Amino acid sequence: MTNFTRFNRRNLFKLGLGATTGLTGFAATAQERRQRPSDELSPQHEPRTMNLGGYSEATRGLDLARRHNPIIFWNETSLQLVALDHSIDAKDARAPGPCASARALGLVHIVMADAVAAAYTVDFEGLYVRGRAPIRAFPDVFVGGAAAWILEFIFGTPAHSQFIGSQRLRFLDSYEPAALPSWEAGLAFARNEAFTSRWDWTAIRRAILATPTPYVPRPRGHTVDPFNADQGFYGVQWAQVPTLDPRFGDIASYGPPEPPREHDREYLRDFEEVRQLGAYRADRATPAQIRSGLFWAYDGARLIGTPPRLYNQIVRQIAEDDGMSVAEMARLLALCNLAMADAGIVCWEAKYRYGVWRPVAGIRQSLRHPHNDWLPFGSPRTNPTQFALGKDTQFRATAQNLMGASENLLPEPASRALPYKLASFTPNFPAYPSGHATFGSACFDILKRVRAERQRTLVDPNRLNPSIDFVSDELNGVSIDNFSNRPRPYVPLSYSSIDQMIEDNNRSRVHLGVHWNFDCERGSDSGARVAERIYGNAYQRRAGDRPESDVAPRPFRSSSSRR
């Protein structure tokens, strides 16, 4: 008779680990979401792979193996928590909006990478905590314990804790009781002040939404969206939050140069472009452009969250396709999320230093060619009010409201299309540079650099497997469209290169009418500089193990260089 006894619910409750059901799998996989092509957003081919989020029947055979990869499991858990954080009452959100969610993900993945460096045989050292862990077995459980504890520390409300508890149960269910000391050692590892000192919720909340706000709109500068006039200003003091990379240096030096002025040729060209392509239901925007805008949106919507969540989903899928080990994934995701966290600080410092207005104000108030009736396609309020979690969901303001969406206090029947002001909004922070472009470039440039280290298996670190389909939770066949109030179709996209993804991510913001193109190009350049700095500072491979990267930073480009 075997002495192998799996953890069960009773054992877990005795151990105080908690276990709940529900809240798992915010999104089904592609097999569950598939719809036949039905409108202009539909792809010309059938879906081939699973959706980037969650586990379901289509992948249940791989579930056990993935649970034994603590990086995959707890990366997905952290992304689900970001989605949950944007689906509950705004006052309970613990990492709301792009800045805070990027920092939360950055800290979680630093803890996991440092734990991997402590428990596995690897060729890199931890960033904050170095040295070997006092365990001899179950390094994966050690890493899982560290991840679970830091997630509880960051989020920690009853709603978040319930989900973390259910994930503990799923993760530990296949392990024998002998793994418990490794789990407890992981919990102790994450309690290190080197980690916990990087998450001061009071300071983070104040940096996101200082009350009263110190920002005063400048003449012909950023101001509130006229269709969401009750919005405040997100992230005014985010530049005061310390970077996660302790050796980062002067954040302003990584930001973009001064933006073009209203009468400059570049500004006027980008003005006319977004006026035509980014207009609400513009007849000049092609289905592909609308598809791109929605695919990359992640503007804090319920059950979806923020851009760093999407970029994590994509990076993890590429890492799995590349066959990366636990250690390689831990290092890659730590570098990507560290870069995004600090890129957010660089970006928001520049945003409020320059105070550039959004197209919703700049086009309607143009001195040369005012268009008083112009409406941007806007950031989508995907999964409208009835999809909020908790009591009185029809009246619940979520984290998206902190990013500029007006509170919707008027329930809308599911069969009725939503009016413009309840369906769309322009984010409540200055345009220049683009947060999407800065986050995306920082993340994907790190991905190229790490892939360049794998010269034996990758001919071109920029090239992607053409058989991979990427699925955004904005276009997964389930998420509810912000205008039609019905599910959008299932639309996977494929990319031939990482650079193509960076470019499409940049252009998507012009197609939604929430950014000028120069916001995106300069933001992308800034993100690349951050990536170069982070890659040179953190989780460096030991001498002799790290080849020189052939991925050079992309030079500054003006709008005139785009195709």
Side-chain angles (χ1 to χ4, degrees), residues 114-120 130-137 139 142-143 182 185-186 189:
D114 283 15
V116 165
Y120 288 74
R130 299 183 176 185
R132 297 296 297 171
I135 62 169
R136 296 183 178 179
F142 173 82
V143 174
S182 293
F189 180 84

Side-chain angles (χ1 to χ4, degrees), residues 151-292:
L151 286 170
E152 184 76 39
F153 178 78
I154 292 171
F155 291 98
T157 70
H160 298 102
S161 295
Q162 183 183 27
F163 177 67
I164 295 169
S166 71
Q167 290 297 85
R168 290 188 187 110
L169 175 63
R170 287 188 63 237
F171 182 73
L172 289 171
D173 185 55
S174 62
Y175 288 96
E176 55 189 289
L180 180 59
S182 293
W183 176 267
E184 291 179 334
L187 299 179
F189 180 84
R191 293 190 188 102
N192 194 303
E193 187 180 2
F195 301 129
T196 59
S197 63
R198 265 72 180 189
W199 188 264
D200 181 343
W201 168 238
T202 301
I204 287 170
R205 181 79 181 198
R206 183 171 60 249
I208 291 171
L209 289 174
T211 304
T213 178
Y215 176 73
V216 178
R218 309 166 189 170
R220 309 196 66 74
H222 174 70
T223 188
V224 298
D225 173 2
F227 302 101
N228 290 265
D230 59 345
Q231 64 180 203
F233 299 102
Y234 177 93
V236 176
Q237 295 181 324
W238 194 249
Q240 299 177 16
V241 174
T243 58
L244 288 181
D245 178 358
R247 298 182 297 167
F248 192 82
D250 177 24
I251 60 174
S253 66
Y254 295 90
E258 288 195 8
R261 302 179 184 277
E262 275 190 76
H263 298 293
D264 291 347
R265 180 180 301 177
E266 181 182 8
Y267 181 96
L268 294 174
R269 181 174 53 248
D270 289 355
F271 173 101
E272 185 59 24
E273 178 187 48
V274 71
R275 185 187 70 81
Q276 295 186 26
L277 295 184
Y280 171 51
R281 292 180 179 171
D283 56 6
R284 297 199 177 214
T286 67
Q289 290 165 343
I290 296 173
R291 189 161 61 235
S292 170

Side-chain angles (χ1 to χ4, degrees), residues 54 83 109 141 326 397 434 562:
H109 287 87
V141 176
V326 169
S434 162
R562 71 177 184 271

Side-chain angles (χ1 to χ4, degrees), residues 314-335:
I314 291 172
V315 168
R316 194 183 71 225
Q317 189 175 3
I318 293 171
E320 288 189 80
D321 186 71
D322 286 348
M324 289 191 181
S325 67
V326 169
E328 287 175 315
M329 280 193 186
R331 177 172 172 267
L332 169 65
L333 287 167
L335 286 169

Side-chain angles (χ1 to χ4, degrees), residues 84-143:
L84 170 62
D85 204 48
H86 290 79
S87 308
I88 59 177
D89 199 314
K91 66 179 178 57
D92 295 325
R94 286 298 176 266
C99 295
S101 60
R103 187 174 185 86
L105 291 172
L107 181 56
V108 169
H109 287 87
I110 287 171
V111 170
M112 287 199 288
D114 283 15
V116 165
Y120 288 74
T121 300
V122 298
D123 61 358
F124 61 89
E125 292 182 322
L127 180 64
Y128 293 161
V129 178
R130 299 183 176 185
R132 297 296 297 171
I135 62 169
R136 296 183 178 179
F138 304 103
D140 45 350
V141 176
F142 173 82
V143 174

Side-chain angles (χ1 to χ4, degrees), residues 453-509:
E453 298 169 356
R454 298 165 58 87
Q455 294 293 351
R456 296 177 182 176
T457 57
L458 291 173
V459 176
D460 181 355
N462 185 41
R463 185 183 304 168
L464 295 176
N465 183 346
S467 67
I468 297 179
D469 280 342
F470 300 100
V471 180
S472 163
D473 286 340
E474 297 276 8
L475 294 169
N476 59 15
V478 172
S479 291
I480 304 300
D481 183 72
N482 52 311
F483 288 119
S484 69
N485 216 15
R486 60 187 178 87
R488 296 192 190 114
Y490 174 93
V491 186
L493 296 183
S494 60
Y495 293 93
S496 61
S497 69
I498 296 172
D499 283 344
Q500 186 187 20
M501 287 197 301
I502 292 173
E503 181 66 13
D504 199 40
N505 177 53
N506 294 349
R507 298 291 293 157
S508 72
R509 307 306 284 171

